[in-house]
């Protein structure tokens, strides 16, 4: 298994994975647009302030992470924001998410980010607590959603 920067060749596999991510998430009742996911992926490939990583084993992509660096809304400090993190269910027993998060932190540090954020809002699973604590994150509070 290896974590590496995504390439254009990975986009179609990642779009397929993204559908799986949505189907097991809070958003499962929403329509999924492959075209919109593809556009999202291309934007992350082309923007130097954005990170797009994949997890690969034996030539098959089975997970991805996307993140960005941006300024705080109130000042000039840079911070990192994780946007998407997905690993197929059958690969969740290993260290893929841990390795993704370590690469994300290293990448954010290269921009001199003062903080990084990780907000797993699509699913509310307890394993995020253990992973976050292991990586030194502080719990900042829950996210709430309401279907209308």
């Amino acid at each position: 298994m290896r974590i590496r920067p995504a390439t254009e060749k990975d986009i179609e596999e990642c779009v397929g994975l993204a559908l799986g991510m949505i189907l097991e998430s809070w958003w499962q009742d929403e329509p999924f647009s492959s075209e919109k996911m593809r556009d999202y992926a291309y934007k992350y490939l082309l923007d130097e302030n954005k990170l797009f990583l994949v997890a690969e084993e034996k030539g098959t992509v089975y997970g991805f992470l996307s993140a960005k660096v941006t300024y705080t809304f109130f000042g000039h400090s840079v911070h990192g924001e994780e946007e998407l993190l997905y690993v197929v269910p059958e690969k969740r027993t290993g260290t893929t998410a841990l390795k993704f998060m370590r690469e994300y932190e290293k990448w954010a540090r290269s921009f001199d980010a003062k903080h990084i954020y990780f907000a797993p809002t699509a699913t509310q699973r307890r394993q995020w607590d253990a992973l976050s604590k292991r990586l030194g994150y502080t719990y900042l509070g829950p996210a709430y959603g309401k279907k209308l």
Side-chain angles (χ1 to χ4, degrees):
M1 184 276 286
R2 72 180 181 136
I3 303 294
R4 62 169 175 77
T7 67
E8 189 173 352
K9 293 177 185 177
D10 299 317
I11 289 178
E12 290 308 314
E13 269 186 290
C14 288
V15 168
L17 292 174
L19 176 58
M21 175 183 69
I22 297 304
L23 290 176
E24 67 175 278
S25 79
W26 193 76
W27 304 101
Q28 63 189 338
D29 297 328
E30 293 295 317
F32 180 82
S33 169
S34 295
E35 182 179 340
K36 191 162 185 182
M37 268 320 301
R38 199 174 291 110
D39 290 346
Y40 174 93
Y42 274 106
K43 287 176 185 171
Y44 271 68
L45 279 180
L46 300 173
D47 188 331
E48 65 184 29
N49 293 318
K50 294 182 178 181
L51 177 66
F52 183 9
L53 299 173
V54 295
E56 176 187 58
E57 187 170 77
K58 298 179 183 174
T60 301
V61 172
Y62 68 87
F64 58 81
L65 175 136
S66 65
K68 65 183 178 182
V69 289
T70 187
Y71 291 101
T72 59
F73 67 91
F74 56 85
H76 302 289
S77 294
V78 174
H79 68 273
E81 297 176 1
E82 169 269 340
E83 291 218 338
L84 298 175
L85 170 58
Y86 183 71
V87 177
V88 295
E90 58 273 17
K91 295 287 190 179
R92 291 182 189 161
T93 58
T95 59
T96 304
L98 181 70
K99 290 179 180 179
F100 270 142
M101 294 302 289
R102 285 183 175 153
E103 287 298 314
Y104 159 53
E105 181 175 340
K106 185 168 56 172
W107 173 80
R109 284 180 186 275
S110 76
F111 287 87
D112 199 28
K114 302 301 180 208
H115 302 94
I116 56 174
Y117 301 96
F118 168 56
T121 56
T123 58
Q124 301 297 317
R125 296 199 175 120
R126 286 282 191 207
Q127 69 262 34
W128 294 125
D129 291 338
L131 175 67
S132 298
K133 286 177 185 172
R134 184 173 177 184
L135 291 167
Y137 283 75
T138 300
Y139 181 72
L140 299 175
Y144 294 92
K146 181 178 179 179
K147 292 185 180 185
L148 303 176

